[in-house]
mmCIF file of all heavy atoms in Angstrom:
data_model
loop_
_atom_site.group_PDB
_atom_site.id
_atom_site.type_symbol
_atom_site.label_atom_id
_atom_site.label_comp_id
_atom_site.label_asym_id
_atom_site.label_seq_id
_atom_site.Cartn_x
_atom_site.Cartn_y
_atom_site.Cartn_z
ATOM 1 N N GLU F 3 -58.436 -91.857 146.793
ATOM 2 C CA GLU F 3 -59.411 -92.844 146.440
ATOM 3 C C GLU F 3 -58.899 -93.561 145.165
ATOM 4 O O GLU F 3 -58.264 -92.967 144.274
ATOM 5 C CB GLU F 3 -60.772 -92.101 146.054
ATOM 6 C CG GLU F 3 -61.421 -91.451 147.241
ATOM 7 C CD GLU F 3 -62.107 -92.435 148.235
ATOM 8 O OE1 GLU F 3 -61.901 -93.632 148.033
ATOM 9 O OE2 GLU F 3 -62.748 -91.975 149.069
ATOM 10 N N PHE F 167 -53.532 -101.197 144.593
ATOM 11 C CA PHE F 167 -54.432 -100.348 145.433
ATOM 12 C C PHE F 167 -53.550 -99.521 146.414
ATOM 13 O O PHE F 167 -53.766 -98.270 146.569
ATOM 14 C CB PHE F 167 -55.425 -101.307 146.144
ATOM 15 C CG PHE F 167 -56.055 -100.670 147.356
ATOM 16 C CD1 PHE F 167 -56.986 -99.635 147.223
ATOM 17 C CD2 PHE F 167 -55.979 -101.211 148.623
ATOM 18 C CE1 PHE F 167 -57.608 -99.070 148.380
ATOM 19 C CE2 PHE F 167 -56.591 -100.803 149.771
ATOM 20 C CZ PHE F 167 -57.348 -99.653 149.586
ATOM 21 N N ARG F 171 -52.957 -95.467 146.450
ATOM 22 C CA ARG F 171 -53.568 -94.920 147.691
ATOM 23 C C ARG F 171 -52.676 -93.828 148.340
ATOM 24 O O ARG F 171 -53.064 -92.793 148.644
ATOM 25 C CB ARG F 171 -53.905 -95.902 148.698
ATOM 26 C CG ARG F 171 -55.178 -95.610 149.469
ATOM 27 C CD ARG F 171 -55.566 -96.903 150.215
ATOM 28 N NE ARG F 171 -56.418 -96.682 151.417
ATOM 29 C CZ ARG F 171 -57.644 -96.210 151.328
ATOM 30 N NH1 ARG F 171 -58.213 -96.013 150.231
ATOM 31 N NH2 ARG F 171 -58.290 -95.968 152.395
ATOM 32 N N ARG F 239 -64.938 -98.219 143.529
ATOM 33 C CA ARG F 239 -63.663 -98.040 144.141
ATOM 34 C C ARG F 239 -63.179 -99.275 144.865
ATOM 35 O O ARG F 239 -64.035 -100.141 145.261
ATOM 36 C CB ARG F 239 -63.784 -96.953 145.274
ATOM 37 C CG ARG F 239 -64.080 -95.518 144.806
ATOM 38 C CD ARG F 239 -64.492 -94.639 145.978
ATOM 39 N NE ARG F 239 -65.614 -95.125 146.677
ATOM 40 C CZ ARG F 239 -65.928 -94.895 147.920
ATOM 41 N NH1 ARG F 239 -65.073 -94.064 148.620
ATOM 42 N NH2 ARG F 239 -66.996 -95.341 148.520
ATOM 43 N N ILE F 240 -61.846 -99.368 145.170
ATOM 44 C CA ILE F 240 -61.374 -100.328 146.096
ATOM 45 C C ILE F 240 -61.148 -99.584 147.422
ATOM 46 O O ILE F 240 -60.533 -98.453 147.413
ATOM 47 C CB ILE F 240 -59.998 -100.851 145.632
ATOM 48 C CG1 ILE F 240 -60.203 -101.572 144.208
ATOM 49 C CG2 ILE F 240 -59.519 -101.969 146.608
ATOM 50 C CD1 ILE F 240 -58.891 -102.067 143.692
ATOM 51 N N THR F 241 -61.684 -100.112 148.486
ATOM 52 C CA THR F 241 -61.676 -99.327 149.808
ATOM 53 C C THR F 241 -61.001 -100.105 150.853
ATOM 54 O O THR F 241 -60.773 -99.587 151.951
ATOM 55 C CB THR F 241 -63.122 -98.954 150.234
ATOM 56 O OG1 THR F 241 -63.866 -100.120 150.222
ATOM 57 C CG2 THR F 241 -63.655 -97.879 149.209
ATOM 58 N N GLY F 242 -60.634 -101.318 150.685
ATOM 59 C CA GLY F 242 -59.971 -102.125 151.816
ATOM 60 C C GLY F 242 -59.410 -103.496 151.265
ATOM 61 O O GLY F 242 -59.910 -103.931 150.310
ATOM 62 N N ALA F 243 -58.305 -103.964 151.808
ATOM 63 C CA ALA F 243 -57.702 -105.130 151.437
ATOM 64 C C ALA F 243 -56.751 -105.688 152.420
ATOM 65 O O ALA F 243 -56.150 -104.878 153.226
ATOM 66 C CB ALA F 243 -56.936 -104.895 150.115
ATOM 67 N N ALA F 244 -56.607 -107.039 152.500
ATOM 68 C CA ALA F 244 -55.736 -107.659 153.428
ATOM 69 C C ALA F 244 -55.457 -109.060 152.942
ATOM 70 O O ALA F 244 -56.261 -109.645 152.212
ATOM 71 C CB ALA F 244 -56.306 -107.699 154.850
ATOM 72 N N MET F 266 -60.699 -110.954 155.980
ATOM 73 C CA MET F 266 -62.017 -110.315 155.661
ATOM 74 C C MET F 266 -62.225 -109.079 156.603
ATOM 75 O O MET F 266 -62.602 -108.038 156.158
ATOM 76 C CB MET F 266 -63.121 -111.283 155.763
ATOM 77 C CG MET F 266 -63.134 -112.436 154.729
ATOM 78 S SD MET F 266 -64.379 -113.658 155.394
ATOM 79 C CE MET F 266 -64.853 -114.429 153.850
ATOM 80 N N LEU F 267 -62.021 -109.428 157.880
ATOM 81 C CA LEU F 267 -62.310 -108.359 158.800
ATOM 82 C C LEU F 267 -61.371 -107.195 158.745
ATOM 83 O O LEU F 267 -61.722 -106.004 158.866
ATOM 84 C CB LEU F 267 -62.234 -108.972 160.297
ATOM 85 C CG LEU F 267 -63.310 -109.979 160.679
ATOM 86 C CD1 LEU F 267 -63.000 -110.688 161.956
ATOM 87 C CD2 LEU F 267 -64.691 -109.247 160.810
ATOM 88 N N GLU F 268 -60.105 -107.451 158.445
ATOM 89 C CA GLU F 268 -59.213 -106.340 158.260
ATOM 90 C C GLU F 268 -59.466 -105.544 156.991
ATOM 91 O O GLU F 268 -59.402 -104.292 157.005
ATOM 92 C CB GLU F 268 -57.657 -106.979 158.064
ATOM 93 C CG GLU F 268 -57.088 -107.497 159.398
ATOM 94 C CD GLU F 268 -56.852 -106.432 160.319
ATOM 95 O OE1 GLU F 268 -56.390 -105.355 160.063
ATOM 96 O OE2 GLU F 268 -57.018 -106.723 161.622
ATOM 97 N N ALA F 269 -59.932 -106.140 155.910
ATOM 98 C CA ALA F 269 -60.329 -105.437 154.756
ATOM 99 C C ALA F 269 -61.570 -104.502 155.019
ATOM 100 O O ALA F 269 -61.652 -103.404 154.677
ATOM 101 C CB ALA F 269 -60.680 -106.350 153.649
ATOM 102 N N MET F 270 -62.467 -105.091 155.830
ATOM 103 C CA MET F 270 -63.672 -104.295 156.204
ATOM 104 C C MET F 270 -63.381 -103.156 157.140
ATOM 105 O O MET F 270 -63.937 -102.101 157.050
ATOM 106 C CB MET F 270 -64.693 -105.221 156.920
ATOM 107 C CG MET F 270 -65.541 -106.112 155.917
ATOM 108 S SD MET F 270 -66.167 -107.586 156.630
ATOM 109 C CE MET F 270 -67.280 -106.867 157.789
ATOM 110 N N LYS F 271 -62.369 -103.476 158.051
ATOM 111 C CA LYS F 271 -62.004 -102.399 158.988
ATOM 112 C C LYS F 271 -61.338 -101.251 158.180
ATOM 113 O O LYS F 271 -61.664 -100.092 158.476
ATOM 114 C CB LYS F 271 -60.981 -102.968 159.984
ATOM 115 C CG LYS F 271 -60.644 -102.069 161.153
ATOM 116 C CD LYS F 271 -59.875 -102.927 162.241
ATOM 117 C CE LYS F 271 -58.479 -102.310 162.379
ATOM 118 N NZ LYS F 271 -57.626 -103.141 163.170
ATOM 119 N N GLU F 272 -60.505 -101.532 157.253
ATOM 120 C CA GLU F 272 -59.868 -100.478 156.462
ATOM 121 C C GLU F 272 -60.825 -99.664 155.709
ATOM 122 O O GLU F 272 -60.709 -98.438 155.576
ATOM 123 C CB GLU F 272 -58.806 -101.080 155.456
ATOM 124 C CG GLU F 272 -58.047 -100.043 154.783
ATOM 125 C CD GLU F 272 -56.940 -100.667 153.879
ATOM 126 O OE1 GLU F 272 -56.899 -101.849 153.611
ATOM 127 O OE2 GLU F 272 -56.081 -99.768 153.357
ATOM 128 N N ALA F 273 -61.960 -100.246 155.220
ATOM 129 C CA ALA F 273 -62.950 -99.625 154.470
ATOM 130 C C ALA F 273 -64.007 -99.000 155.428
ATOM 131 O O ALA F 273 -64.905 -98.349 154.941
ATOM 132 C CB ALA F 273 -63.641 -100.632 153.503
ATOM 133 N N ALA F 274 -63.849 -99.249 156.638
ATOM 134 C CA ALA F 274 -64.881 -98.789 157.735
ATOM 135 C C ALA F 274 -66.272 -99.256 157.373
ATOM 136 O O ALA F 274 -67.175 -98.520 157.366
ATOM 137 C CB ALA F 274 -64.818 -97.230 157.788
ATOM 138 N N LEU F 275 -66.318 -100.515 157.020
ATOM 139 C CA LEU F 275 -67.692 -101.153 156.696
ATOM 140 C C LEU F 275 -67.979 -102.232 157.764
ATOM 141 O O LEU F 275 -67.021 -102.890 158.179
ATOM 142 C CB LEU F 275 -67.622 -101.795 155.334
ATOM 143 C CG LEU F 275 -67.634 -100.883 154.133
ATOM 144 C CD1 LEU F 275 -67.658 -101.628 152.771
ATOM 145 C CD2 LEU F 275 -68.713 -99.837 154.115
ATOM 146 N N SER F 276 -69.283 -102.420 158.035
ATOM 147 C CA SER F 276 -69.626 -103.474 158.892
ATOM 148 C C SER F 276 -70.375 -104.554 158.123
ATOM 149 O O SER F 276 -70.701 -104.391 156.933
ATOM 150 C CB SER F 276 -70.633 -102.928 159.984
ATOM 151 O OG SER F 276 -71.832 -102.591 159.385
ATOM 152 N N ASP F 279 -73.181 -103.767 155.787
ATOM 153 C CA ASP F 279 -72.914 -102.936 154.528
ATOM 154 C C ASP F 279 -72.482 -103.831 153.288
ATOM 155 O O ASP F 279 -72.533 -103.261 152.222
ATOM 156 C CB ASP F 279 -71.783 -102.016 154.826
ATOM 157 C CG ASP F 279 -71.977 -101.083 156.031
ATOM 158 O OD1 ASP F 279 -73.168 -100.582 156.090
ATOM 159 O OD2 ASP F 279 -71.059 -100.776 156.779
ATOM 160 N N ILE F 280 -72.228 -105.105 153.539
ATOM 161 C CA ILE F 280 -71.664 -105.909 152.465
ATOM 162 C C ILE F 280 -72.866 -106.385 151.691
ATOM 163 O O ILE F 280 -73.698 -107.114 152.171
ATOM 164 C CB ILE F 280 -70.843 -107.047 153.011
ATOM 165 C CG1 ILE F 280 -69.771 -106.562 153.980
ATOM 166 C CG2 ILE F 280 -70.158 -107.824 151.827
ATOM 167 C CD1 ILE F 280 -68.734 -105.663 153.402
ATOM 168 N N SER F 370 -71.673 -102.800 148.014
ATOM 169 C CA SER F 370 -70.245 -103.358 148.157
ATOM 170 C C SER F 370 -70.138 -104.812 147.946
ATOM 171 O O SER F 370 -71.066 -105.514 148.115
ATOM 172 C CB SER F 370 -69.671 -102.855 149.474
ATOM 173 O OG SER F 370 -70.259 -103.574 150.430
ATOM 174 N N CYS F 371 -68.926 -105.183 147.615
ATOM 175 C CA CYS F 371 -68.679 -106.640 147.420
ATOM 176 C C CYS F 371 -67.337 -107.003 148.106
ATOM 177 O O CYS F 371 -66.342 -106.322 147.877
ATOM 178 C CB CYS F 371 -68.507 -107.024 145.906
ATOM 179 S SG CYS F 371 -67.861 -108.584 145.668
ATOM 180 N N LEU F 372 -67.407 -108.048 148.821
ATOM 181 C CA LEU F 372 -66.095 -108.547 149.404
ATOM 182 C C LEU F 372 -65.656 -109.737 148.608
ATOM 183 O O LEU F 372 -66.425 -110.679 148.505
ATOM 184 C CB LEU F 372 -66.464 -108.997 150.843
ATOM 185 C CG LEU F 372 -65.246 -109.596 151.649
ATOM 186 C CD1 LEU F 372 -64.169 -108.455 151.842
ATOM 187 C CD2 LEU F 372 -65.729 -110.077 153.040
ATOM 188 N N ILE F 385 -60.481 -108.435 149.417
ATOM 189 C CA ILE F 385 -60.454 -107.073 148.837
ATOM 190 C C ILE F 385 -61.896 -106.612 148.751
ATOM 191 O O ILE F 385 -62.813 -107.374 148.424
ATOM 192 C CB ILE F 385 -59.731 -107.064 147.494
ATOM 193 C CG1 ILE F 385 -59.536 -105.656 146.987
ATOM 194 C CG2 ILE F 385 -60.382 -107.869 146.427
ATOM 195 C CD1 ILE F 385 -58.494 -105.505 145.901
ATOM 196 N N LEU F 386 -62.123 -105.294 149.127
ATOM 197 C CA LEU F 386 -63.499 -104.787 149.069
ATOM 198 C C LEU F 386 -63.635 -103.742 147.881
ATOM 199 O O LEU F 386 -62.843 -102.829 147.727
ATOM 200 C CB LEU F 386 -63.740 -104.008 150.360
ATOM 201 C CG LEU F 386 -64.648 -104.757 151.328
ATOM 202 C CD1 LEU F 386 -64.379 -104.051 152.689
ATOM 203 C CD2 LEU F 386 -65.938 -104.789 150.911
ATOM 204 N N PHE F 387 -64.726 -103.978 147.228
ATOM 205 C CA PHE F 387 -65.147 -103.096 146.180
ATOM 206 C C PHE F 387 -66.440 -102.373 146.514
ATOM 207 O O PHE F 387 -67.316 -102.937 147.087
ATOM 208 C CB PHE F 387 -65.469 -103.848 144.824
ATOM 209 C CG PHE F 387 -64.176 -104.511 144.274
ATOM 210 C CD1 PHE F 387 -64.120 -105.958 144.532
ATOM 211 C CD2 PHE F 387 -63.209 -103.883 143.613
ATOM 212 C CE1 PHE F 387 -62.942 -106.603 144.096
ATOM 213 C CE2 PHE F 387 -62.039 -104.541 143.187
ATOM 214 C CZ PHE F 387 -61.943 -105.914 143.380
ATOM 215 N N GLU F 388 -66.458 -101.026 146.239
ATOM 216 C CA GLU F 388 -67.617 -100.241 146.687
ATOM 217 C C GLU F 388 -68.116 -99.284 145.627
ATOM 218 O O GLU F 388 -67.198 -98.734 144.952
ATOM 219 C CB GLU F 388 -67.259 -99.316 147.989
ATOM 220 C CG GLU F 388 -67.621 -99.873 149.241
ATOM 221 C CD GLU F 388 -67.261 -98.857 150.357
ATOM 222 O OE1 GLU F 388 -68.189 -98.047 150.536
ATOM 223 O OE2 GLU F 388 -66.211 -98.854 150.928
#
Side-chain angles (χ1 to χ4, degrees):
Chain F
E3 294 284 7
F167 162 63
R171 213 164 156 73
R239 296 170 296 157
I240 302 176
T241 51
M266 292 168 154
L267 290 167
E268 288 291 324
M270 285 159 60
K271 193 169 114 189
E272 185 174 12
L275 291 182
S276 68
D279 299 321
I280 310 295
S370 67
C371 166
L372 182 62
I385 188 164
L386 255 168
F387 298 101
E388 262 186 86

